[in-house]
Amino acid sequence: MITALIGLGRMGMRHAGVLEQCQLPIVAVSDINREACDVAGNKYGIPEERRFISAIELIDQIRPEFLIIATTAPGHCELVVRAAQNGAKMILCEKPMATNLRDCEAMISACNSAGVKLAINHQMRFMEQYTFPKSMIESEAFGGLASV
């Protein structure tokens, strides 16, 4: 599977580590920061010609089947739509999905039209620091939620 990663900040590098643990080699990376590309490229054995400053160039040239997008939200829509149009099979996009509902709908529509599985990384709802207060609020001992 051709796997690529766009965005090499804190979350992007965490995704890179998980890809390595899952034995999914990263074929290409992209970040607007050349140094971040080189750090990730050197760490994960990605050749220099597959380290992109432009995420669009990565999508157009590499045509990843599995793409992780770990950039800031304003760019998510363009990248997801472009990847869906260029043969991606699966896209994992960091939260928030987009900055407006119109972009969310465009992302969903593009993925549905191309048969792409799109996931948004909103895993925190399962973490104890969120589940425990929720269970407290819902408990009879707490009295239930009255207002927010």
Side-chain angles (χ1 to χ4, degrees):
M1 176 165 298
I2 301 170
T3 302
L5 174 58
I6 298 173
L8 299 168
R10 181 180 57 83
M11 284 306 298
M13 291 304 286
R14 289 181 76 186
H15 285 294
V18 170
L19 288 170
E20 182 179 52
Q21 289 173 1
C22 293
Q23 299 179 348
L24 284 169
I26 305 167
V27 172
V29 293
S30 175
D31 196 282
I32 58 173
N33 180 332
R34 169 58 69 192
E35 185 178 332
C37 285
D38 290 338
V39 167
N42 292 337
K43 183 171 183 171
Y44 296 103
I46 301 160
E48 286 188 33
E49 64 273 9
R50 292 193 172 190
R51 302 174 190 178
F52 295 84
I53 299 300
S54 166
I56 295 296
E57 286 181 25
L58 179 150
I59 293 168
D60 289 348
Q61 291 180 31
I62 303 299
R63 300 176 68 87
E65 295 170 289
F66 177 34
L67 178 63
I68 296 177
I69 300 171
T71 63
T72 56
H76 289 175
C77 181
E78 179 184 16
L79 298 175
V80 166
V81 169
R82 188 68 162 247
Q85 293 169 342
N86 277 279
K89 306 279 187 256
M90 298 175 288
I91 301 170
L92 174 61
C93 184
E94 266 303 324
K95 65 186 172 313
M97 182 175 181
T99 57
N100 60 68
L101 186 56
R102 182 183 65 249
D103 284 355
C104 292
E105 290 169 346
M107 293 163 72
I108 292 167
S109 177
C111 288
N112 284 343
S113 294
V116 176
K117 292 181 181 178
L118 173 64
I120 308 302
N121 193 23
H122 284 275
Q123 82 291 355
M124 289 194 289
R125 68 179 180 209
F126 301 110
M127 297 173 77
E128 187 176 12
Q129 65 258 40
Y130 296 97
T131 60
F132 183 71
K134 182 177 184 286
S135 68
M136 286 178 56
I137 289 170
E138 293 172 342
S139 74
E140 288 182 29
F142 188 74
L145 183 61
S147 71
V148 176

